[in-house]
Amino acid sequence: VQLQASGGGLVQPGGSLRLSCAASGVTLDYYAIGWFRQAPGKEREGVSCANSIDGNTYYADSVKGRFTISRDNTKNTMYLQMNSLKPEDTAVYSCATGHISSCSQGPLTVLNMDYRGKGTLVTVSS
């Protein structure tokens, strides 16, 4: 199983980025998906999680209303649309999936998923 995140970069506060995560060796359509991040000197934080069964989505309070998780099953790819970015959103963002269909612990579910990809760096700075 491979998950490859891309789309990170440098963006000014208030700007937007869309992260992508292409999967191989696993069919995302069957499983819950999610994103987590890790800022320098801080612990990993579950950012968002999406069920496969009903499509319900869950977000950390810190990103609620600004970030949107989605998936394109035809491309076996998940996305994280990030709007109104803040300097505190600066982190390495990674995608994850596993053999579960629902985010029973909300965004925290992502931290225990079976498969996690290498991250992409997002820097929010003027």
Side-chain angles (χ1 to χ4, degrees):
V1 175
Q2 287 193 330
L3 299 172
Q4 182 61 56
S6 61
L10 174 63
V11 62
Q12 292 187 340
S16 299
L17 279 176
R18 188 177 82 152
L19 306 183
S20 301
C21 175
S24 60
V26 63
T27 302
L28 295 180
D29 188 18
Y30 299 157
Y31 305 115
I33 58 172
W35 292 86
F36 64 95
R37 66 185 181 185
Q38 187 162 23
K42 294 188 176 181
E43 293 189 355
R44 288 184 304 153
E45 177 188 16
V47 172
S48 181
C49 190
N51 292 348
S52 62
I53 294 179
D54 53 18
N56 282 353
T57 56
Y58 305 87
Y59 298 93
D61 288 342
S62 57
V63 306
K64 201 171 294 182
R66 300 187 296 122
F67 289 12
T68 303
I69 188 172
S70 63
R71 70 173 91 203
D72 185 338
N73 294 327
T74 65
K75 297 181 179 179
N76 209 29
T77 299
M78 69 176 91
Y79 303 96
L80 185 67
Q81 177 67 43
M82 306 186 295
N83 299 328
S84 302
L85 283 162
K86 305 175 181 179
E88 51 263 43
D89 293 320
T90 295
V92 175
Y93 285 73
S94 303
C95 50
T97 189
H99 297 291
I100 55 174
S101 57
S102 64
C103 307
S104 58
Q105 295 180 296
L108 295 179
T109 308
V110 183
L111 301 180
N112 296 310
M113 287 183 170
D114 300 308
Y115 308 117
R116 286 168 279 174
K118 285 187 176 180
T120 184
L121 176 63
V122 173
T123 303
V124 185
S125 174
S126 55

